[in-house]
Amino acid sequence: HNATVHIIDTHKEAAEATLKAIESSGGKAFIHISDVTNYSQISSIIQEINNTHPIEILVNNAGVAHVGTVETTDEAALDRLYEVNIKGVFNCTKACISSMKRAKKGVILNMGSIAGSVGINDRFAYSMTKGAVLAMTYSIAKDYVKYNIRCNSISPARVHTPFVDGFISKN
């Protein structure tokens, strides 16, 4: 069937680039500018989308990176990583799960990282958040399998995206 993609992003330009890529390959998409760290914003957008067409697939792909050891990571950086990489997954999943339960189907795909299971040098806080994403994935999968909701994560190594390449060039 023809799926509609809803892009939720804080960066309008990035969302528009994704929209153009989807549309140029024949897909249909909409942009919602929002911050995954804000549950009330996310919940409102998810409810609006569900009113049009029930959400069948959620891809939790928002994330921020950080370079540092436990000694060099400050509290503000740790809080920011938690807010986006952990709380963002929680907020989006929480906003979608009840409608998926009612429909007795759904797929949740969390973007993890190899850092979450093996750790990476000088990436203490980032590795920690991706470990949390992996643990959340396992818990959600076990809690909701009885509702025919699958929850998986993808844990790639470094993928050269504009975000990663920009991050690498700054460090």
Side-chain angles (χ1 to χ4, degrees):
H1 69 261
N2 291 333
T4 301
V5 177
H6 289 267
I7 305 157
I8 301 174
D9 202 326
T10 56
H11 300 95
K12 186 178 181 192
E13 297 78 21
E16 287 172 347
T18 302
L19 175 79
K20 285 179 185 155
I22 292 167
E23 289 177 342
S24 71
S25 64
K28 184 176 178 184
F30 295 95
I31 294 173
H32 308 271
I33 301 302
S34 185
D35 182 347
V36 296
T37 69
N38 183 320
Y39 181 73
S40 80
Q41 280 182 22
I42 291 300
S43 179
S44 176
I45 289 168
I46 297 299
Q47 187 170 359
E48 176 188 321
I49 295 167
N50 268 322
N51 288 341
T52 307
H53 184 80
I55 296 171
E56 296 177 17
I57 301 169
L58 168 66
V59 179
N60 284 309
N61 193 40
V64 293
H66 180 263
V67 174
T69 64
V70 69
E71 293 175 285
T72 61
T73 301
D74 64 23
E75 193 173 353
L78 187 70
D79 289 347
R80 179 71 182 142
L81 285 158
Y82 164 78
E83 287 286 317
V84 176
N85 296 5
I86 298 173
K87 189 176 173 192
V89 171
F90 165 79
N91 284 343
C92 293
T93 303
K94 185 174 178 68
C96 287
I97 202 78
S98 62
S99 63
M100 288 180 173
K101 270 179 69 176
R102 280 192 303 276
K104 294 202 182 324
K105 66 179 178 178
V107 175
I108 300 167
L109 180 61
N110 296 326
M111 188 55 69
S113 168
I114 194 69
S117 53
V118 301
I120 295 179
N121 291 357
D122 210 28
R123 301 291 188 278
F124 164 75
Y126 177 77
S127 295
M128 174 206 65
T129 64
K130 292 303 182 172
V133 168
L134 188 58
M136 287 190 291
T137 299
Y138 292 146
S139 289
I140 294 163
K142 289 181 178 188
D143 287 340
Y144 294 94
V145 68
K146 62 186 166 244
Y147 299 100
N148 197 31
I149 298 169
R150 292 178 290 131
C151 186
N152 292 292
S153 69
I154 298 173
S155 294
R158 181 174 287 158
V159 177
H160 287 279
T161 64
F163 170 79
V164 170
D165 290 342
F167 186 80
I168 291 169
S169 71
K170 291 178 193 169
N171 293 295

